[in-house]
Amino acid sequence: MASVLRTSRSTRWLWCLVDLFIIVVAFYVAALLRYDLKLDLTFSAAVTLCMAIALVAHLIIGHLWGAYAVGHERGSYEEIIDIGLTVVTWAIPLGVIAALSPYDLGPRSLAFTAGALAMLGMFGARFVLRAARMRPGSSEEQESRPTIIFGAGEGGRQLFRALVRDPSVRLNPVAFIDDDPSKRRMRIGGVKVRGTRDDLLRVAEDSEAKVLAVAVPSADSGLLQDMRRRADEAHLEMLVLPSAGEMLGAARGTDLRSLDVSDLLGRRPIELDHGAIANSIQGRTVLVTGAGGSIGSELCRQITRFGPAKLYLLDRDESALHATQISVTGRGLLDDDTVVLADIRDTERMIEVMGQTMPDIVFHAAALKHLPLLEKYPMEAWKTNVLGTLNVLRAAQTVGVRTFVNVSTDKAANPSCVLGYSKRITERLTASFADQGEHTYVSVRFGNVLGSRGSVIKAFTAQIEQGGPVTVTHPEVERYFMLIPEACQLVLQSAAIGRDGEVMVLEMGNPVKIDDVAKTLISMSGRKDVEIAYTGLRPGEKMSEELFTPGESIKGTGHELVSSVDVPRLSPTVVDETLHRSPDASAEWMRKHAMAGSPGPGSDRPAVVGMGGVG
């Protein structure tokens, strides 16, 4: 530390000496010009006295509170301001004194003219140093990987400066590309903008680049997918800058990272009404079913931030409960009553739990969700998703739960599979309970979440680790995706603004091709030998998911990322009167009642039962 301080002080003294020399030159040049190049007048005692006063004043002012009082980065905005203030502080008073004093201090304009020249000289010296440092091509940079920067805006400029200043990143900027035609002939630090993204292949060949750095923090998923495709064609490694919200301050070379699967989703900032969410949760008792799952556990973590009086975690998986308790509280002793081991299929147990916990708010996230398994075993979807949800609804109504949020799925919109049928029925049941009192019962519908248990991300990652192949059903199949925190934030928002009986539908952005997800993961793994095998759509699967059933009336909610629709009610007595004698019968019953009352043409669609033959 001491050596660093000594180095800083010595650097400041060195620059002080440089600036004093510049002042000497500035005074004699100003005098030479004033006296029409007459040397005897230029080097007179009066001029020398005025210059000596300026030198002493600059030295004192600069070290007390001016340019040398702190260690500036050379050529920084802060140093330029301090240099300017230091010179102005002595130049103006000295000029006034020279004009009013009886002593001869040379021409009355000398202090002003010399001060201006000195300031320009000091600025110029720092500019030359900064330009030399910013120009790529040093021996260390020659050993770095040639890099094309996409984006000649502020993000690209910041990244360029960061890469040049920090050779340890080992990326040497050799070219810019930018889609703005007006920047075509621009140079940044001596490096030219050499075209648009359409010219990437040519620029990569000409510059022998190895890396493409996308320096557009606001880049959306479409742009990133297009640039990844072009980078693959040019055999370039692609790195991206995180969004502006993820970076602290200006862009740095160390901020660059490989393309992440989450980048395919876009970078939509989610602005929550924290006041509304806090008002709905703070000081209230909350119960989350399925608390051990991906969505349930994240809901618990986010609910904790809004200060509930008590948060109960309910699940039938004791290990999952243990993990959630650790992530929420930092301790996993399982020794308090906030951890509830229970199965939503058990009617009496649900009534017992509700009576013991007396929640004000229930987030119902417990469900079976794997489409192929539920196609093969539809009776399990009936028991958990339908009967289990009905058990939770009835138990919640018994104790007067104020707000009930049923977590649904986009597969409930115009459903074509057992999973979709069962979740559509839960939406209809939840809506029917909304009519039975003054409390709020809503459903929230959204698509796949990245990183959840059983998601394609984890499945693909496991297949890549085993050497492949990565199995994709169809090259054109696409799905809506969200990040788990993003989905849970909007679930909490929906709970705060939801209208009784409605289904809240989250804005999911643009659907993403599963094939693109697989290719991105393979590229990120660095393995070139992993192939993709297309297996064909499975029974009940759609090529593209839908967020709404055709004919549903879509309404706004006051939040741009949440809309709502009404669903036809389904009386619980209809479920009570049903006795399924076979899996096929349960699948057909769910299909019939999922589509009953739907406004679209799908209600007349034949059943897709699909027993067996599912891979």
Side-chain angles (χ1 to χ4, degrees):
M1 178 62 73
S3 62
V4 172
L5 291 174
R6 284 194 297 271
T7 302
S8 176
R9 290 195 200 99
S10 62
T11 301
R12 277 183 265 169
W13 274 107
L14 176 62
W15 275 97
C16 178
L17 293 176
V18 170
D19 292 341
L20 293 176
F21 174 75
I22 291 173
I23 292 173
V24 171
V25 173
F27 265 88
Y28 285 130
V29 168
L32 191 66
L33 295 175
R34 174 65 179 79
Y35 289 127
D36 294 328
L37 305 181
K38 295 178 180 178
L39 295 181
D40 56 333
L41 296 176
T42 298
F43 293 99
S44 66
V47 171
T48 303
L49 177 60
C50 188
M51 178 190 68
I53 295 172
L55 290 172
V56 173
H58 187 88
L59 187 64
I60 294 173
I61 295 169
H63 279 89
L64 288 180
W65 58 79
Y68 319 110
V70 295
H72 285 297
E73 180 185 357
R74 295 285 79 78
S76 66
Y77 172 80
E78 292 78 14
E79 187 189 33
I80 294 300
I81 292 297
D82 277 354
I83 286 287
L85 290 175
T86 301
V87 173
V88 168
T89 302
W90 62 255
I92 293 178
L94 184 57
V96 173
I97 292 172
L100 303 178
S101 173
Y103 299 103
D104 185 8
L105 296 176
R108 284 172 291 183
S109 63
L110 181 60
F112 300 116
T113 307
L117 290 175
M119 193 184 301
L120 290 175
M122 295 175 196
F123 290 170
R126 285 159 175 81
F127 173 77
V128 169
L129 176 67
R130 183 167 180 170
R133 285 181 174 177
M134 295 301 296
R135 188 174 184 85
S138 70
S139 58
E140 277 191 86
E141 287 164 339
Q142 296 288 355
E143 300 171 4
S144 302
R145 292 183 294 168
T147 300
I148 298 172
I149 298 178
F150 174 67
E154 185 58 30
R157 293 169 183 267
Q158 290 179 5
L159 179 61
F160 173 83
R161 291 193 290 266
L163 294 180
V164 172
R165 287 175 182 165
D166 187 4
S168 65
V169 180
R170 297 294 181 187
L171 297 176
N172 180 27
V174 295
F176 280 90
I177 56 173
D178 195 289
D179 286 341
D180 185 350
S182 65
K183 297 177 180 176
R184 183 64 185 261
R185 297 182 180 179
M186 180 186 295
R187 287 182 180 270
I188 299 173
V191 176
K192 187 178 179 181
V193 178
R194 300 176 62 179
T196 67
R197 74 175 84 173
D198 294 331
D199 301 304
L200 177 61
L201 183 59
R202 173 184 59 79
V203 175
E205 291 174 349
D206 293 345
S207 62
E208 299 182 348
K210 304 296 182 185
V211 179
L212 170 67
V214 178
V216 185
S218 61
D220 59 20
S221 59
L223 173 61
L224 292 175
Q225 290 181 48
D226 182 57
M227 295 308 298
R228 191 204 65 179
R229 178 182 60 78
R230 295 175 186 272
D232 288 344
E233 291 176 356
H235 304 291
L236 298 175
E237 178 187 353
M238 179 170 162
L239 302 175
V240 298
L241 275 182
S243 64
E246 295 177 74
M247 293 189 293
L248 297 175
R252 298 167 297 178
T254 52
D255 288 327
L256 284 171
R257 58 171 173 77
S258 299
L259 186 69
D260 193 288
V261 177
S262 62
D263 292 320
L264 299 178
L265 302 180
R267 290 166 171 174
R268 298 170 300 149
I270 296 180
E271 296 184 3
L272 300 178
D273 185 347
H274 290 279
I277 297 174
N279 288 337
S280 67
I281 292 177
Q282 190 172 27
R284 294 186 169 87
T285 300
V286 183
L287 183 144
V288 178
T289 72
S294 305
I295 294 296
S297 60
E298 179 63 22
L299 274 174
C300 292
R301 287 187 285 272
Q302 295 200 23
I303 289 169
T304 302
R305 296 167 44 205
F306 292 96
K310 203 160 188 178
L311 173 61
Y312 290 98
L313 321 177
L314 184 149
D315 205 291
R316 67 175 182 177
D317 184 336
E318 58 181 354
S319 297
L321 275 177
H322 184 244
T324 300
Q325 187 189 42
I326 292 175
S327 69
V328 171
T329 67
R331 56 193 297 273
L333 299 179
L334 302 174
D335 59 350
D336 60 46
D337 63 349
T338 62
V339 178
V340 182
L341 186 64
D343 191 337
I344 63 171
R345 292 184 178 189
D346 189 332
T347 305
E348 294 182 358
R349 178 67 175 135
M350 284 299 100
I351 295 174
E352 178 186 18
V353 168
M354 291 292 180
Q356 291 173 345
T357 60
M358 296 297 293
D360 300 301
I361 307 170
V362 172
F363 290 92
H364 176 48
L368 296 178
K369 63 179 182 179
H370 287 283
L371 186 151
L373 281 176
L374 297 186
E375 286 294 310
K376 190 173 182 180
Y377 304 109
M379 194 72 81
E380 298 305 307
W382 164 259
K383 291 176 182 178
T384 296
N385 293 358
V386 177
L387 294 184
T389 297
L390 184 54
N391 289 338
V392 179
L393 282 165
R394 279 179 166 151
Q397 184 189 52
T398 300
V399 299
V401 168
R402 294 177 48 178
T403 303
F404 187 100
V405 181
N406 170 46
V407 177
S408 187
T409 170
D410 58 355
K411 292 176 176 58
N414 201 22
S416 63
C417 60
V418 169
L419 170 59
Y421 301 148
S422 65
K423 296 302 285 183
R424 174 72 171 186
I425 291 172
T426 68
E427 293 180 354
R428 296 189 62 196
L429 287 171
T430 302
S432 73
F433 275 81
D435 299 333
Q436 300 178 26
E438 298 180 356
H439 302 310
T440 302
Y441 283 67
V442 299
S443 295
V444 182
R445 182 190 296 170
F446 56 90
N448 301 280
V449 287
L450 284 180
S452 63
R453 288 194 297 180
S455 70
V456 293
I457 305 302
K458 295 193 175 182
F460 288 170
T461 300
Q463 290 175 333
I464 291 170
E465 289 175 351
Q466 295 171 6
V470 174
T471 55
V472 176
T473 55
H474 192 282
E476 297 301 319
V477 72
E478 57 185 11
R479 294 289 181 263
Y480 290 100
F481 282 98
M482 296 183 85
L483 300 175
I484 294 177
E486 177 186 24
C488 291
Q489 288 170 10
L490 290 178
V491 168
L492 295 182
Q493 184 71 72
S494 300
I497 66 176
R499 294 186 287 262
D500 208 13
E502 291 185 331
V503 174
M504 318 299 288
V505 184
L506 306 187
E507 168 59 44
M508 298 292 297
N510 297 318
V512 176
K513 286 187 178 181
I514 302 297
D515 196 41
D516 285 341
V517 174
K519 289 177 179 177
T520 300
L521 286 171
I522 293 172
S523 176
M524 288 168 55
S525 73
R527 302 187 62 164
K528 307 295 185 182
D529 57 337
V530 177
E531 297 181 350
I532 296 177
Y534 300 103
T535 60
L537 288 177
R538 296 169 293 190
E541 280 192 319
K542 300 177 184 178
M543 189 70 75
S544 299
E545 290 293 354
E546 303 163 85
L547 294 178
F548 303 97
T549 297
E552 284 182 333
S553 178
I554 305 170
K555 296 176 288 186
T557 63
H559 193 286
E560 62 177 1
L561 297 181
V562 183
S563 55
S564 69
V565 295
D566 288 315
V567 294
R569 276 55 172 163
L570 177 64
S571 172
T573 58
V574 176
V575 177
D576 294 335
E577 295 168 356
T578 303
L579 179 63
H580 296 311
R581 300 188 181 279
S582 70
D584 286 349
S586 68
E588 173 57 27
W589 188 95
M590 285 187 284
R591 186 202 70 82
K592 176 182 176 182
H593 286 82
M595 303 312 304
S598 296
S603 56
D604 297 326
R605 190 173 54 243
V608 183
V609 179
M611 298 298 109
V614 181

